Amino acid sequence: MKTVKVGLLGIGNVGSGTYKALEMNSAAIEKSAGVHLEIVRILNRRPEAKRAVDVPKEKYTADPYEIINDPEIQIIVEVMGGVEPATTYMADALKTGKHVVTANKAALAVNGKMLQQLAMDHHVMLRFEASVGGGIPIINAVADPLVSNQYDEVLGILNGTTNYILTKMTENGADYAEVLKDAQAKGLAEADPTADVEGHDVANKLSILISLLFGKQVLPQDIPTQGITSVSGLDINYATEFGYRIKLIAHARKENGRLICSVEPTLLPLSHPMAAVSNEFNAVFVRGNAVDELMFYGKGAGPLPTGSAVLGDVIDIANCIAKGAAFDVQPLLHYDSDLEVIGEGMAQYYLRLTAVDQPGVLGNIASTFAKHDIGLKSVMQRAGINDKKTSVPLIFIIYETEYKTLMSALDEIREKNFAKSIDAVMRVQER
Ligand SMILES: NC(=O)c1ccc[n+]([C@@H]2O[C@H](COP(=O)([O-])OP(=O)(O)OC[C@H]3O[C@@H](n4cnc5c(N)ncnc54)[C@H](OP(=O)(O)O)[C@@H]3O)[C@@H](O)[C@H]2O)c1
């Protein structure tokens, strides 16, 4: 049986999970794929540190180029994270004719185009199933069994930490800060949770999905992104009363030559399949013009689920090597669409305002919306909320409106002091 040698750059969560998944399943992999995989060298800058797997010390090196330039190694697995030096190491590995498998969404979102070109130029494969949705096979599914489709829309719950926090806030009525602490204690949130809770991690993944599904490069920093730190228990309760769940949704939709995209807390009707995706689970929902609606669901993170996706890519490549088959160097990501990227676009919205509790205030706000041609779908007014009951929360769901139009109407409401504050503006995704 042919042996294919693999080098691992990084031995953190995903590196250990990949190593362990191979240890667990190597016999089954040999039987089904007909190839013996061996992780022969591992980049470890702290060889004395305790790792989640027992690795013979001689496999470790602190020098990445001992792996990248090793002529015996045919596949490099990059699981270090961060844009640099990971991008440089991957580029150098591709240039030396090695295949690369990566889980690194940050590097791919920014440098995917350049890395793909290098892979094509050097006739080697660049694969990245684990970069979006961890263990969920979305990338290769779109490229292979779903290749006959064109896509109109994608929705993703792509971050386990934020989905866990929103789920617990919904179930227990707990505060954001309290649930974040609990998530950190359970290892479901990083000590510094910024990249997760501010939505940056999801923006990287959406950027990759946009290139994959719509053939357009939209850099993460160009995707309007809002995290979950401002989602309050009040909004979760009002949303529930209206029949919705709040989820951090990565959304992109093609519409009349425009590409609408955002990462933001979004209200989904309870009947929507994505509304039931709870705790640390992830899901990706796509609409293809042939396959229609599809939802992928599973563990979007964690050493073994992510290691499973990494290994899947490694096995695909090793299979080609073992069979002497031609390498599939067709790019998975595309960047040549002429769609105009416009950010938020047209949507229904949930709004929560605090107004002065006096006669006519609701009428003033409603007529401002009417002036901007904004239709009200639902309105809820609650009893006064401060000691003297001088402030009153008003909750609206408005019909489809351009985001810019909504902002103009809210500016006018602010300028005319019809509302003391505009406390929440969230997209509503009906289907
Ligand atoms: N965690 C998940 O569930 C998950 C899911 C999907 C995708 N991903 C992606 O997978 C990648 C790895 O994530 P992870 O959670 O495994 O991260 P991690 O636990 O922080 O592991 C990263 C590993 O790379 C090493 N490393 C980082 N920078 C290095 C450098 N400059 N030189 C040498 N070694 C370096 C770290 O070394 P030290 O241990 O010495 O710091 C560590 O061993 C990231 O791109 C992440 O976005 C992760």
Side-chain angles (χ1 to χ4, degrees), residues 9-15 43-46 51 79-82 85 89 103-105 130-131 134 300-303 306:
L9 304 181
I11 187 74
N13 289 309
V14 182
L43 175 66
N44 183 355
R45 61 183 171 185
R46 293 184 299 130
R51 302 294 178 180
V79 280
M80 295 164 48
Y89 295 168
N104 191 333
K105 57 242 158 190
S131 65
T306 313

Side-chain angles (χ1 to χ4, degrees), residues 355-358 382-392 420:
V356 185
D357 195 4
Q358 62 189 33
R382 282 296 153 101
I385 49 174
N386 59 9
D387 287 349
K388 294 184 179 160
K389 306 274 188 277
T390 52
S391 292
V392 61
K420 285 184 170 177

Side-chain angles (χ1 to χ4, degrees), residues 88 90 168 234-235 241 243 260 284 305 317 335 345 360 363 390 426 428:
T88 301
M90 285 193 273
K168 293 302 169 209
L234 267 182
D235 294 316
E241 284 187 46
I260 289 162
V284 182
I317 298 170
Y335 301 97
T390 52
M426 283 187 244
V428 177

